[in-house]
Amino acid sequence: MIKFFLMVNKQGQTRLSRYYEHVEINKRTMLEAEVIKNCLSRSKDQCSFIEYKDFKLVYRQYAALFVVVGINETENEMAVYELIHNFVEVLDKYFSRVSELDVSFSLSEIHLP
């Protein structure tokens, strides 16, 4: 099960966050900071799957954006990795030649189920 979905830039700023289970606002900030730090500190040679606390992180980097998905232990990491890629391909087709801020602003208005 997907716990959360984040889009983050290289500076560590969250551009989009969507949670699929309740997390208190103050805990979200701390969680996002730790998750971002873990993903940004890894080299390109390292695996894109990270075991973190009681769940796993699956992330992909696209230019200046990182897409991070938090999942439970039973979820298939490769399936989520491909889901991220498909999501980004759809965004690429829908938003042609726009900046990171344009995409993040537009995505905040789209309701992800």
Side-chain angles (χ1 to χ4, degrees), residues 56-73:
K56 296 177 187 176
L57 302 173
V58 178
Y59 72 94
R60 283 186 92 151
Q61 181 180 359
Y62 293 92
L65 283 178
F66 284 80
V67 180
V68 184
V69 179
I71 58 173
N72 64 10
E73 294 88 17

Side-chain angles (χ1 to χ4, degrees), residues 30-67:
M30 291 181 355
L31 173 71
E32 288 176 21
E34 290 175 18
V35 165
I36 291 166
K37 186 179 98 183
N38 280 325
C39 293
L40 292 178
S41 67
R42 295 174 67 87
S43 72
K44 291 185 186 266
D45 297 332
Q46 291 180 297
C47 181
S48 294
F49 311 144
I50 305 171
E51 289 191 22
Y52 177 77
K53 294 189 179 182
D54 61 338
F55 53 90
K56 296 177 187 176
L57 302 173
V58 178
Y59 72 94
R60 283 186 92 151
Q61 181 180 359
Y62 293 92
L65 283 178
F66 284 80
V67 180

Side-chain angles (χ1 to χ4, degrees), residues 10 13 17 20 23 30 50 75-76 89 91-92 101:
K10 280 188 175 179
Q13 299 168 320
S17 67
Y20 297 100
V23 179
M30 291 181 355
I50 305 171
E75 193 67 49
N76 183 333
E89 282 185 347
L91 292 179
D92 187 46
L101 290 175

